[in-house]
Amino acid sequence: MRILTIKTILKHQKLCQIICSRAKTSSAQYVASRFRDPTFEKLMDKYKNLLKVIVIQDLILANPTNNPSVSLDFLSRLSQKLHLNRGAASFLRKYPHIFHIFYDPNKSQPFCRLTNAAIDISRQEAEAISSFPVVDRLVRLLSMSITKSLPLRAIFKVWRELGLPDDFEDSIISLNSNIFKLSPGNEPNTHILELTDEMHDKSFVASVENWRAIECCKEDCTVERTEIQFAFKHCYPPGMRLSKDFKAKVREWQRLPYAGPYVRMGEKERSKTRIMGLEKRAVAIVHEFLSLTVERMVEVEKISHFRKSFSIDLNIRDLILDHPGIFYLSTKGKRHTIFLREAYEGGCLIDPNPVYNVRRKLLDLVILGRHGMLTNELKSVETCQTEKSCLHDEKKGSSL
């Protein structure tokens, strides 16, 4: 692998036969040379606009009024930062089912607010999150760390992905002092979230174990019984050619033992763990991390904030690209996003959760765009004309 030095390759020749060797390339070249999966690319095409919509929605809802809104002038100043290439007004008009632009005569400028449909979806999401097992997810995330602790700012990076409420510091952490505790960080104005001593010995089963248990009981099991103990589900996109050499190396990798994401490893044990075992453990940690997210996806930049805490010494992006049967990396929307392959089918989650279902409703409005608006406008015109006609007939009748 490109992440290994020449000396390490020479020292561990036998181990390096397990994985696919590749020529020395830059990280950018490696990303560019990956096999594109049209299903995930189409999905990310829709998501890149949804992410912009969510940012604007949050800005509107952050306004503490009964009918929250923001001025177009304010959004226009953020156009470059939000990657609104044609300006804020143009972007908002693309989604009339979500945003409503109106003129405020008192302030002599146009404003934007959410439509009733968008407000209703936001309310449904808040209700779904309130009944979501967020405490368990947060405990699992902390349990993957060697020290059972994580920087609070790292968790803030992925609060939406984990399905946490936006006030989770007060509504989750403070209300569960028997599980979580906050302590000052090494840098000014930073905090560390950690599990209480009572929670350190709590054991968890990784999500991949559920697949192994089901797969092992199948008559048409796709993985050999000798491999299943340390195997991961591999799903390759249609059209991706797999050589015999590649398949053989994947089978060898499947048999490789490793320490699971929740297994506590001491310094001495880690130093003796073989390189490929550590690499497979890193794959297991990323796999479990994605399994804890609402949509089984996360940006590379966000998960990279956890590398040190999870003791991952490898480049996350290269790690993902090294395992195309487990993960998929999309570069749409000027961001690198990781998907858990096995969780998706036809661009949708196979096993959706309530929060995901609500968020898909907002995505549906994004996909809808301006469709349906012309019909509504014509209906409004027809209604107006009918009312005028009725009024004219009434006046005519009264004059007679």
Side-chain angles (χ1 to χ4, degrees):
M1 298 173 74
R2 186 183 61 78
I3 48 180
L4 302 178
T5 62
I6 295 175
K7 286 183 179 179
T8 308
I9 291 174
L10 293 173
K11 187 178 179 181
H12 301 277
Q13 285 180 350
K14 193 172 181 180
L15 289 173
C16 292
Q17 290 174 359
I18 298 172
I19 55 169
C20 297
S21 59
R22 63 173 181 261
K24 288 183 180 179
T25 57
S26 68
S27 191
Q29 288 173 325
Y30 193 26
V31 170
S33 65
R34 78 195 187 285
F35 186 90
R36 264 74 163 184
D37 189 325
T39 303
F40 283 108
E41 291 301 312
K42 286 177 184 177
L43 176 62
M44 202 58 213
D45 244 340
K46 301 166 187 175
Y47 260 101
K48 67 181 183 183
N49 289 323
L50 172 66
L51 296 173
K52 296 175 185 178
V53 165
I54 289 172
V55 172
I56 297 174
Q57 175 186 263
D58 289 346
L59 288 172
I60 293 172
L61 294 175
N63 197 337
T65 59
N66 292 330
N67 194 15
S69 62
V70 292
S71 69
L72 255 64
D73 179 59
F74 172 72
L75 292 176
S76 295
R77 292 198 299 271
L78 295 174
S79 291
Q80 190 173 358
K81 189 175 181 180
L82 299 177
H83 304 293
L84 308 179
N85 301 328
R86 296 186 178 180
S90 176
F91 181 82
L92 295 172
R93 291 191 185 101
K94 285 170 63 179
Y95 306 106
H97 294 283
I98 303 172
F99 303 113
H100 174 67
I101 299 174
F102 64 97
Y103 185 80
D104 188 338
N106 296 323
K107 297 181 180 178
S108 303
Q109 61 175 317
F111 278 73
C112 171
R113 64 175 175 81
L114 295 176
T115 61
N116 290 335
I119 291 172
D120 188 48
I121 289 173
S122 178
R123 192 179 297 114
Q124 288 178 39
E125 183 179 353
E127 290 172 0
I129 287 173
S130 66
S131 57
F132 207 51
V134 291
V135 173
D136 178 69
R137 289 178 180 235
L138 203 50
V139 170
R140 283 174 173 269
L141 192 68
L142 288 160
S143 296
M144 285 196 287
S145 166
I146 337 173
T147 58
K148 308 296 182 185
S149 65
L150 292 168
L152 189 62
R153 62 185 177 190
I155 298 172
F156 268 111
K157 291 277 183 181
V158 293
W159 69 271
R160 186 182 291 276
E161 284 81 353
L162 293 173
L164 300 176
D166 53 8
D167 64 339
F168 74 90
E169 195 173 352
D170 296 320
S171 61
I172 302 297
I173 297 172
S174 297
L175 294 180
N176 292 279
S177 56
N178 60 317
I179 300 173
F180 309 110
K181 61 179 179 180
L182 278 174
S183 56
N186 296 327
E187 299 175 17
N189 301 319
T190 60
H191 291 85
I192 301 296
L193 177 64
E194 52 188 313
L195 293 174
T196 56
D197 295 338
E198 294 78 11
M199 298 297 293
H200 278 214
D201 296 327
K202 190 174 176 63
S203 58
F204 294 99
V205 176
S207 63
V208 70
E209 294 293 349
N210 299 326
W211 170 78
R212 288 170 185 163
I214 295 170
E215 195 70 17
C216 193
C217 298
K218 286 183 179 178
E219 291 183 6
D220 57 340
C221 181
T222 56
V223 184
E224 292 180 19
R225 306 296 179 185
T226 55
E227 297 176 13
I228 203 76
Q229 185 182 358
F230 302 109
F232 285 82
K233 186 174 182 178
H234 283 66
C235 317
Y236 297 99
M240 185 174 181
R241 295 180 181 179
L242 307 176
S243 66
K244 288 183 180 180
D245 186 51
F246 178 86
K247 291 178 181 178
K249 287 172 181 176
V250 169
R251 278 197 299 271
E252 192 67 27
W253 186 86
Q254 290 278 62
R255 295 190 186 98
L256 184 71
Y258 72 98
Y262 296 113
V263 175
R264 192 165 187 175
M265 299 176 67
E267 293 293 329
K268 188 177 180 181
E269 188 180 352
R270 271 207 317 277
S271 65
K272 290 182 177 180
T273 304
R274 306 183 72 164
I275 291 175
M276 293 309 301
L278 284 176
E279 187 262 357
K280 192 167 184 178
R281 174 179 164 82
V283 169
I285 289 173
V286 175
H287 183 283
E288 187 67 8
F289 190 103
L290 288 168
S291 299
L292 294 175
T293 62
V294 172
E295 293 152 302
R296 308 301 187 262
M297 57 183 277
V298 71
E299 290 175 36
V300 171
E301 182 270 332
K302 292 182 178 181
I303 194 173
S304 293
H305 285 273
F306 296 86
R307 275 181 60 203
K308 186 178 179 182
S309 300
F310 292 157
S311 191
I312 298 177
D313 297 326
L314 310 174
N315 181 295
I316 295 287
R317 182 172 48 225
D318 290 350
L319 183 74
I320 298 307
L321 293 172
D322 285 339
H323 299 276
I326 303 174
F327 311 110
Y328 182 72
L329 180 73
S330 173
T331 59
K332 290 277 186 180
K334 296 183 179 179
R335 50 171 56 86
H336 289 186
T337 307
I338 311 166
F339 290 89
L340 184 60
R341 276 194 177 280
E342 67 189 68
Y344 279 85
E345 186 175 13
C348 298
L349 275 189
I350 296 171
D351 186 19
N353 53 72
V355 180
Y356 169 83
N357 288 333
V358 174
R359 290 180 181 177
R360 285 292 297 201
K361 292 181 182 180
L362 186 60
L363 178 61
D364 289 340
L365 291 185
V366 171
I367 296 169
L368 193 60
R370 290 192 58 82
H371 291 294
M373 294 307 294
L374 182 61
T375 306
N376 294 336
E377 287 169 7
L378 288 173
K379 284 181 180 178
S380 298
V381 171
E382 287 174 3
T383 303
C384 186
Q385 288 176 344
T386 304
E387 288 175 352
K388 284 182 179 179
S389 177
C390 291
L391 186 63
H392 177 72
D393 290 341
E394 285 177 6
K395 285 182 178 180
K396 188 176 179 181
S398 60
S399 63
L400 292 173

